Every structure is written in structure tokens, then in C-alpha cells.
Amino acid sequence: MELKMFLLVLGLLVGISSPGRAANHGKPPDTYDHELQNQGNYTRATPSKKPFPVLSFNFEHVKVPFEISLWVLLASLMKLGFHLIPRLSSIVPESCLLIVVGLLVGGLMKVVSEVPPVLDSNVFFLYLLPPIILDAGYFLPIRQFTENLGTILMFAVVGTLWNAFFVGGLLYGVCQLEGHKLVNVDLLSCLLFGSIISAVDPVAVLAVFEEIHINELLHILVFGESLLNDAVTVVLYHLFEEYSTVGTITVMDVFLGVVCFLVVSLGGIVVGAIYGILAAFTSRFTSHTRVIEPLFVFVYSYMAYLSAEVFHLSGIMALIACGAVMRPYVEANISHKSHTTIKYFLKMWSSVSDTLIFIFLGVSTVAGPHEWNWTFVVATVIFCLVARVLGVVGLTFVINKFRIVKLTPKDQFIIAYGGLRGAIAFSLVYLLSTEHFPKRNMFLTAIITVIFFTVFVQGMTIRPLVDLLAVKKKQETKRSINEEIHTQFLDHLLTGIEDICGHYGHHHWKDKLNRFNKKYVKKCLIAGERSREPQLIAFYHKMEMKQAIELVESGGGAKLPSALPSTVSMQNIQPKKPPQDRALPQLSKAREQEIRKILRTNLQRTRQRLRSYNRHTLIADPYEDGWNEILIKRKKMMELEKKISQMNNYLTVPAPPPDSPTIARARLASDPQAWGLKSVTESIPTIKVDLASPQSPESVNVVNEFGKKGSQPKGSQLKASEEEEGGLTMKIPSPPKQRKDKTADEDNDKEPQQRLMRCLSDPGPAAEEEDEDEPFLP
Amino acid sequence: MGSTNSTLLKIPNVEVLMQETGFSPAHIIRLHDRFKALDKEGRGYLCPQDFGAIKELAMNPIGDRIIGAFFSPGKETVDFHTFVKILAHFRPVDKDRPKEPNSLEPINSRSNKLKFAFQLYDQDKDGKISRDELLKVLRAMLGMQVTEEQLESIADRTIQEADLDRDDAISFEEFRKSLEKVNIDHKMSIRFLR
């Protein structure tokens, strides 16, 4: 049903778009209002008086944005469509489907005898590529990347060079042998072609690998390679392009090429890092203008890319460096909502870009000038495959001598098989001019064939192959706090051992970098108190927040207060338990009102009493004092018993169960006074809490309401303070102090007062609960 | 090769050492040179002050624990053999070693690496990491930047997650289990010692 509606809409769109392009047909209704305002400018009026044109049509005016929007819409609808078709997305990767759609649309346009647009290289490099790379760079897993950096660099640099020369050289040989048509393809052109086609494409790799969920090591190896080989490609491309007109290359040029490579790659990284630091520094001051925080991230990164492109440095590496450098600092500074915004915007843009690229690839195939030459094309495909396999095997042999965790043949196969080519190669060839490269159309055809081959054949078969070879898949795990603590511990241990051995190894330098980071960099770039927050604490907070949010979501209707960080730790005994069916039943509206009235009246009296407290009097009224204590302790007890009831799924709350040690260790259990003051509560006309007797669901609800009201404002208070200060600071007064102070200190007193005030003003469970679609993910 | 041979001969029981730890002669010599460099007074053994002289180690939050691990309980000195044996824990695992049925597990096996790390936590050697021991480690690593309550809640949380038999302490098996996803072979190996 959905599918049919979808196809209908699609048909309509295509129907509208083609006449739309030819202008002066049909009347798309949404341009009417717009047109009414622009009467004066258009030359429909003839000298003789015409009746006032109520409606008119002018398409030229909005043509370009209209077309762009239409394409984007088409791309997105396609993406939607694939997932509606039940089994298709599991067999065929999305990229293939999109290319097919592109082919169809291109074909359609040709039939309508329109000129299908070709993927303009400018548009590709300036608008379509950056979002994808930024998305990849910002979320790059730094730890795995740096651990495998040596391997990745080897594959990226040496591997690409090998591929380029192997393919280029052999193709030249083939051209010479072939005779007649291909003889005038000189060596440099072949090498240029080889260098363009040998680069593994990040867009294609991402598109395919994203769906197969392969283990992180392989993913980062292939993906890292596709990112870092950009520098090599840029250098080789410019080198061969420059000198292909002249026809020869000297040793000097080669040497300059090497120097150029270093400049291009390091320069790109430096430019990216500078912009990254600027972005991090800017984000330090955004605490008052939270709304534009994501903008800084995007604009600085884009500027990094453009600046690198100005100097012919590697824009991709600049973008990656910018994203990776700014991320830890920006994330410490920006609000939670900005973080979500950045994440979703990046994902959205990269997704749209990705889709558009593949569709245009399809359309360009139909449009582009082609010159088919069987030998050349077939030779290209074969040589590419062979070069890739040989390169990977050879390099792994060398690399394994230096790796601690060696690459198995299975890994090597996946790496070789995952070397997909994509739109970057296509655009680079498209940029070649036909005067210098008479055979450019042939190159274009060959590249398109290789791209199709890799994306279709390799893309479609990689998933069953991964299953067949039983390659380790990505583990969908959340890092536990144990792992975090122990890995840090082991880091320190290994650094120490390295120091004992007198060996300045990997850990030593990492430790030095961390120390430098903590001492100087963090102070500059992170606002406020969070600059001193150790990584473990940040991790712990994130985890607690995540679980708090999950708890709220799984709790269903009854919104549970979960924002007390220190007590949340007690809730996680069974973190994965499904939402319990005996979750607190909903109160009817009337009952709720009644309870609120009761609370209000009683708490009013409390407030009156509290007001008479004067912190200057040393001899405080013991009755009032006791009341404060009772209030606080009762709240704590209620929270506690609520949590226990959640966990143990029964409503009676006997003495804290001896078998759960954390509860036993909880503040209340060891506090004799909590139980002792129970008798005093009898005389106060408020809701009685008798802990020892089994309670009816309703009274528990009341208790929970009270407790909920009591603790929730605190939660929102905490959240508010988080927003302001940009960090979670634990403000909960520690219970030992509470217990021991008989003269309730100011802090304790103000808090219940504030809490009560908020109780009264709070119309119900806070409406401004953050509506997250998914838990906070770093 | 002449000088290396003579150096090797000077070290007593070097054959046994190489057998037990799996170090090559070149490594033994390198470690011997390091041992001599640390042992400034040339006594042939190391004491805690010698280790303390390594200044990077002094900055390490768990530096004193690491030093303590070299000295078996009661002993005040470390001789070359013990030195090498302890460092052997950090050799990368050699996968292509033939598995003889009766041989002992090599020192650098995953399990032994974990045991070494466990011992650094478990100072009182009762086979469990108690809450206090965990707190001590956390305090050492996080230092002054964190309040006591935060440390306690982290410690509680850690024990909750790892403690399967509810004895409020982490035994070696639980420790091992909580690290099953971490690649210990990689994490606890120093390439230098291959």
C-alpha cells in the first residue's frame, strides 16, 4: 500500500519535472503566490491595455533552485523507497540501486530528448564531497585510527603508488601492443589514468561497508586508506597532468613530486588542525548563544576544506584533521542539544550527498560522451583487480613484520576486495580537457566501467562473502565502565614498563601527548570547570546520562526521575531488564488533582514553619529541625524504596535487603536516625509513610508522586545548571554531613525550600523533558 | 658477535632464562644493559630507589605499584632473572609457538598478562579486588580532580557491573570476563620486547 502511494508520488514528480524544464507548459500551483508580487518585471504586458493578469507563469526565475530541490527530493524519495521494498535492501547495497535509478532517470530524460545533467566536477568537489568527508572525519574513531596508522599509511601511500604505476604501465604496454587505435596513447597519459583509477574511494567504501557491519579493524583499515590516499592522488594527478603536455618527466620532477607529496599531506593536516583549534576556541564562548553552535562546526570545517583547496593541498585531509582535532574540545563545550544537532545534520547532509552522487553517476553514464574500446576497458578492469590483490598481499607481508596483531589472509582478502572505486575518480577524469587528452572519452568510459564493476559486483557480493568467510563482525557493545577503568590502568602500566625498559615507545609518546593536552590545551579550549574534568569522569557522566535517559524511556508512561547522578548508580543492577509490567500505574486525573491538593495544603503548613527558622539562632527549634531532617530523609527513603520496588518488583519495603550490598551500603541503611524519627511523623498532618507495612499501589503512587515531585525539580535544577555551566557538577550534599549536622546548614535548608517552591509551581511532570530519540551517544 | 657472546656468558643461567621467557639473546643483552644502567652502583641487584630514579615513573600514577610488582613479598632486591621474568609478561604473544602438551603456559600468555595486571590491583593478595582497593586505584589515577563521592559511586558502579557472584569484590575470573572484549594481546604488549 505504502509502496503504491510512493510510486504514484514519484511518477507525479517526474511528470512535473520534465515539462517544468521545458517551461511554458502546465502550471505548478505553488508558484502562483510568488508571481503575483512580481508583476512589474515581466514582459507579458503588450502596449495595448490588457486585463490585469491575475495569474501568470514564470519559471526561469526559480529554475535553478527548483531543479536542485527537485533532485534532492528525488534522491531522498529514492532512499525512502528502497527501504519500503522488503527484501531488496538486504541483497543489493543502496549504492547500486541508486546508480540504477540514475540510469533510469537519465534514460527517461534522453527519451524526452532533454539533455541530462552531467555530474559537474565543481559541484561535486565543492558541494557534494565535503559533507561526507566531514561526517567521516568528525566521527572518526581516533583510537583505532592511531593504533593502525602505520598500516593505513602503508596501504594508502605505497599501495596507491604501486597500483598507479602497475596499471598505468601495463596499460601502456597493452596500448602499444594493440596497435591502430591506441598507439597514440602515450605513457604519461596512461600513468595519469592509472593514478586516477587506483585511488580507493571513500564514498563508495563508506556506502558499502556501512551496511555489512564488519569488524572495526578492517573497517578502519580500508576506510582510513581511502581517506589518506587523497594526498597521493592529488600529487600524482597534478604531476602527470602538468607534464603530459611536455611529454617527459625528469628525475628532478620526481623529486619535486615527492616533496610536493609531503607538502600536500602535511600542509593539509596543518590547515585542518588550525581551523579545528579555532573552532574549539570559538566554542568556548558560545555558552550564551547555544543556537548557533553547530554552525561554527560546519563553517570552520568547510573553510578548512576550501582553504586547503586554494593551495592545492589535500582538502580531504584538511577536513579530517579539522574534525578530529576539534571534536573532543567542542564536545566538552557545547550543549547536549547542539551535539545532537551536529550529529544529525552531518548524517543528513552526508546521506543526501551520497545519494545524489550515485544518482548523478548513473545519469552521467547515460549522458556522457563515450568511446568504447573493448581491449582498453577490459584490460583496465583486469589490471585494477590484479594490482589491488598483489598490492595488498605484498604490503601485508611487509607490514605483518611490524604489527603486534597480524593480518590474516581473510583480512587481506576483505581489504583487497573492499577497494572500491567511485565518483572521485570519475570527476577527476571529467576535469581533463579533451585537447590535451584526445582519449579522454575512452578514459571516461573505462572508469565508468570500473566503477560499475566494483560497486555492483564487489559491492553486492561482499556481504555474502563476509558471511561465508565468517569474518568477525562489529560488536554492538557499549563500553562498560570496567573496560574504561582497566584500559586506562593498563595504559599507565604499559607506560611505566616502557619507562623501566628505557624504551620510548607508543605508550610513552601517547602519555606525553595526554599530559600536554591536559596541562595546556584543555585549559585554553574548554570553558569553565570541564577543562579539569578527567576523561574517566566525563565517560562516567555520559554513561549515567545515557542510562538515565534509557530509564525514562523504558519506564513508559510514568516518568521516573532519573537525573540524580549519584543515585542512578544504584539502579543499574539489571540495566537490560525489559520495562516491567508492574510499572507504576497511571493515576487518573481526578485522583492526581486530589493528591496535589493534599500536598499543597500540607506543604503550605510546612513552609510556614520553615519560614520561622532563622539561621542565626543557635538554638533552633528542635521540632522544626527535626522536620527538615525528616523531610529530607523521607524523600531519600521514598526514592530508595521506589528504586527497590522497581528492581525487585514488589511493593513491600522491609529493612534494606541484606543481599544487595550496594543498598546496604546506601546512606540510609547505616543511618539509625532515619528510623528513629519515624515516631515524630505521626503527629504531623501529612501523608504517612509506614515503611514496614505492605503498601497498596495507590499509596505507593502517592509516595512516588511526592518523591517524584521532590526529586524531579532537583533533576531539572541540575539540568539547568548543566546548561549554564556547560558541565555536570555534582551538587548533592553528601549524606554523612547531613546526618551529622544537627544545625541544618543553609544549603540543606534552602534546597528543600526550593524544592517545595518548585513543587507548588510545577503543574506536573516537567513538560520540558528533553525529547531524545535515542540515548546520548558519544 | 664476539662481544655479545661474552656478555651472555657473564650472565648466570642465561639458557634457562631464555627458555623460560622466550627472549632472544639480543633482547637479553639489551635488557642486561638496561639493568646495568639502572643499577648505578653496580651491585648486581636493584632496589626500590633505583626504580625511583626513573623520573617518568615518578610521574606515573601507579608508578609505585609497578615498582612494587618487581619485588616479591619480603624481598628488598631484584636480581636480573626476576627483572627479565617480569618484563617477559609484556612480550607480544607468539602465535606460532608449537603447543607442547606438557609445557607450562608461557609467561606472556594472555592469562598470565591478566594475572599480572590483577596483582597490581590486588595489593593484599587475597585473590579479589575489594572496593577499597578499587577506590585506591581510582584515587591514584584521578587524583585531586574528583570528589570522594564521585569516586565512590564510580567504584560502586564498577563492582556492580563486574561482580557476578555478588561478593562485593572482583575476583580474577570476573576481572578476566570484564576484559574479554579488549584485545589484551595487543594492549599489554610492548613491541620492543618481541
Side-chain angles (χ1 to χ4, degrees), chain A residues 134 138-139 275 278-280 282-303 322-323 326-327 330-331 333-349 723:
Chain A
L134 180 61
Y138 195 77
F139 293 110
Y275 275 99
L278 278 176
T282 314
S283 72
R284 187 181 165 184
F285 303 106
T286 55
S287 48
H288 300 291
T289 41
R290 293 272 180 208
V291 197
I292 55 172
E293 273 171 343
L295 190 67
F296 285 117
V297 171
F298 300 140
V299 173
Y300 273 112
S301 315
Y302 195 47
M303 290 283 288
C322 185
M326 80 166 129
R327 186 178 172 201
V330 162
E331 292 213 334
N333 282 332
I334 62 178
S335 71
H336 182 36
K337 285 183 180 147
S338 297
H339 171 90
T340 313
T341 310
I342 292 177
K343 185 168 105 162
Y344 275 101
F345 258 91
L346 281 179
K347 297 282 176 208
M348 180 185 81
W349 269 329
E723 291 294 325

Side-chain angles (χ1 to χ4, degrees), chain A residues 306-457:
Chain A
L306 294 175
S307 312
E309 286 291 321
V310 166
F311 298 104
H312 270 182
L313 303 173
S314 167
I316 290 185
M317 292 179 90
L319 211 45
I320 301 281
C322 185
V325 164
M326 80 166 129
R327 186 178 172 201
Y329 309 109
V330 162
E331 292 213 334
N333 282 332
I334 62 178
S335 71
H336 182 36
K337 285 183 180 147
S338 297
H339 171 90
T340 313
T341 310
I342 292 177
K343 185 168 105 162
Y344 275 101
F345 258 91
L346 281 179
K347 297 282 176 208
M348 180 185 81
W349 269 329
S350 66
S351 179
V352 168
S353 274
D354 172 281
T355 317
L356 276 175
I357 288 176
F358 282 114
I359 289 189
F360 269 117
L361 213 51
V363 173
S364 309
T365 314
V366 174
H370 287 303
E371 189 189 318
W372 182 267
N373 182 311
W374 275 103
T375 358
F376 191 77
V377 173
V378 171
T380 312
V381 174
I382 296 180
F383 290 147
C384 277
L385 285 175
V386 170
R388 178 84 183 152
V389 171
L390 286 178
V392 169
V393 171
L395 281 174
T396 321
F397 180 71
V398 175
I399 289 172
N400 269 345
K401 295 206 197 328
F402 298 98
R403 278 181 69 89
I404 300 180
V405 177
K406 317 238 184 254
L407 293 174
T408 64
K410 250 195 265 184
D411 295 334
Q412 293 172 36
F413 177 74
I414 296 290
I415 295 176
Y417 209 67
L420 305 173
R421 314 307 200 262
I424 292 186
F426 177 83
S427 312
L428 284 175
V429 168
Y430 206 74
L431 278 175
L432 295 174
S433 61
T434 335
E435 319 102 54
H436 293 153
F437 299 95
K439 287 293 176 182
R440 174 240 202 196
N441 294 339
M442 190 173 69
F443 288 171
L444 209 61
T445 316
I447 284 221
I448 288 188
T449 318
V450 172
I451 294 177
F452 272 43
F453 182 82
T454 54
V455 172
F456 277 93
V457 174

Side-chain angles (χ1 to χ4, degrees), chain A residues 143 147 401-406 477 480-483 485-504 507-508 515 518 532 534 536-537 540-541 543-544 547 566 569-570 572-573 659 661-662 665 730 734, chain B residues 34 38 51 54 56-57 59-62 66 70 83 87 90 92 116-117 120-121 131 137-138 141-142 145-146 149-150 153-154 156-158 160-162 166 168 170 175 178-179 181-194:
Chain A
R143 189 191 287 256
E147 277 175 9
K401 295 206 197 328
F402 298 98
R403 278 181 69 89
I404 300 180
V405 177
K406 317 238 184 254
T477 52
S480 70
I481 189 129
N482 266 283
E483 276 180 28
I485 294 179
H486 296 318
T487 8
Q488 265 202 24
F489 185 82
L490 290 175
D491 277 335
H492 286 304
L493 173 62
L494 275 254
T495 313
I497 297 283
E498 277 187 3
D499 291 329
I500 291 179
C501 288
H503 167 65
Y504 286 163
H507 290 94
H508 177 91
R515 232 183 272 278
K518 208 191 314 202
R532 285 190 290 278
L536 196 60
I537 297 293
Y540 179 66
H541 280 161
M543 249 190 9
E544 297 278 89
Q547 269 174 342
S566 56
S569 56
M570 286 195 268
N572 297 318
I573 290 183
D659 56 332
T662 40
R665 225 183 291 120
M730 295 204 180
S734 74
Chain B
R34 180 66 182 165
L38 287 174
F51 282 106
I54 308 173
E56 286 93 359
L57 206 53
M59 285 200 291
N60 197 318
I62 54 170
I66 300 176
F70 277 83
F83 185 72
L87 288 179
F90 296 95
F116 186 79
L120 285 178
Y121 275 101
R131 186 169 176 267
V137 170
L138 284 173
M141 288 205 296
L142 297 172
Q145 303 147 329
V146 179
E149 291 92 43
Q150 282 175 314
S153 39
I154 294 180
D156 287 334
R157 177 64 188 273
T158 312
Q160 253 185 48
E161 261 186 15
R166 304 287 183 113
D168 192 28
I170 305 180
F175 181 72
S178 69
L179 284 177
K181 294 192 192 101
V182 176
N183 188 349
I184 296 291
D185 296 337
H186 186 179
K187 191 90 196 137
M188 281 189 74
S189 298
I190 296 184
R191 214 166 292 173
F192 171 72
L193 297 173
R194 184 189 303 272

Side-chain angles (χ1 to χ4, degrees), chain A residues 500-533:
Chain A
I500 291 179
C501 288
H503 167 65
Y504 286 163
H506 176 62
H507 290 94
H508 177 91
W509 293 117
K510 203 159 88 154
D511 191 57
K512 270 215 154 92
L513 188 66
N514 277 339
R515 232 183 272 278
F516 175 71
N517 191 15
K518 208 191 314 202
K519 208 161 162 204
Y520 300 111
V521 185
K522 273 193 180 168
K523 289 227 174 79
C524 281
L525 298 179
I526 300 185
E529 274 184 31
R530 292 201 70 178
S531 60
R532 285 190 290 278
E533 193 179 60

Side-chain angles (χ1 to χ4, degrees), chain A residues 43-63:
Chain A
T43 52
R44 288 257 182 193
T46 54
S48 64
K49 187 164 186 323
K50 269 177 71 174
F52 188 70
V54 176
L55 291 170
S56 56
F57 177 79
N58 187 324
F59 184 70
E60 287 308 314
H61 169 71
V62 292
K63 180 170 173 174

Side-chain angles (χ1 to χ4, degrees), chain A residues 74-302:
Chain A
L74 178 73
S76 316
L77 286 172
M78 282 298 120
K79 229 178 157 68
L80 270 186
F82 297 146
H83 293 285
L84 287 178
I85 302 175
R87 275 183 27 227
L88 197 61
S89 50
S90 54
I91 307 176
V92 187
E94 238 178 56
S95 36
C96 302
L97 292 170
L98 289 169
I99 294 185
V100 169
V101 168
L103 287 173
L104 286 175
V105 173
L108 223 94
M109 288 212 226
K110 258 221 159 118
V111 162
V112 186
S113 65
E114 273 290 322
V115 178
V118 189
L119 181 61
D120 181 22
S121 297
N122 229 23
V123 167
F124 174 73
F125 280 114
L126 291 181
Y127 301 115
L128 291 179
L129 190 60
I132 301 180
I133 306 293
L134 180 61
D135 180 36
Y138 195 77
F139 293 110
L140 194 68
I142 296 283
R143 189 191 287 256
Q144 277 104 344
F145 188 73
T146 45
E147 277 175 9
N148 294 301
L149 194 59
T151 317
I152 293 178
L153 277 175
M154 274 288 266
F155 277 125
V157 178
V158 181
T160 313
L161 281 173
W162 158 259
N163 277 354
F165 284 106
F166 186 83
V167 173
L170 282 186
L171 273 180
Y172 180 63
V174 165
C175 288
Q176 295 301 89
L177 289 174
E178 168 67 10
H180 60 124
K181 272 189 278 181
L182 296 175
V183 138
N184 53 354
V185 182
D186 62 334
L187 181 62
L188 281 174
S189 302
C190 281
L191 285 175
L192 177 59
F193 178 73
S195 67
I196 294 177
I197 203 165
S198 61
V200 177
D201 186 83
V203 180
V205 163
L206 262 180
V208 168
F209 270 51
E210 201 99 327
E211 298 182 2
I212 59 178
H213 297 299
I214 207 160
N215 70 41
E216 286 175 343
L217 173 67
L218 290 177
H219 187 249
I220 198 71
L221 281 179
V222 182
F223 183 60
E225 180 196 345
S226 67
L227 291 174
L228 295 185
N229 67 17
D230 181 57
V232 181
T233 313
V234 164
V235 171
L236 283 178
Y237 181 79
H238 286 300
L239 186 68
F240 289 132
E241 204 201 358
E242 282 286 315
Y243 291 114
S244 63
T245 42
V246 180
T248 52
I249 287 194
T250 63
V251 176
M252 189 59 186
D253 297 325
V254 172
F255 175 68
L256 282 177
V258 171
V259 172
C260 182
F261 166 70
L262 290 171
V263 167
V264 159
S265 45
L266 294 174
I269 294 178
V270 164
V271 167
I274 292 176
Y275 275 99
I277 293 180
L278 278 176
F281 190 66
T282 314
S283 72
R284 187 181 165 184
F285 303 106
T286 55
S287 48
H288 300 291
T289 41
R290 293 272 180 208
V291 197
I292 55 172
E293 273 171 343
L295 190 67
F296 285 117
V297 171
F298 300 140
V299 173
Y300 273 112
S301 315
Y302 195 47

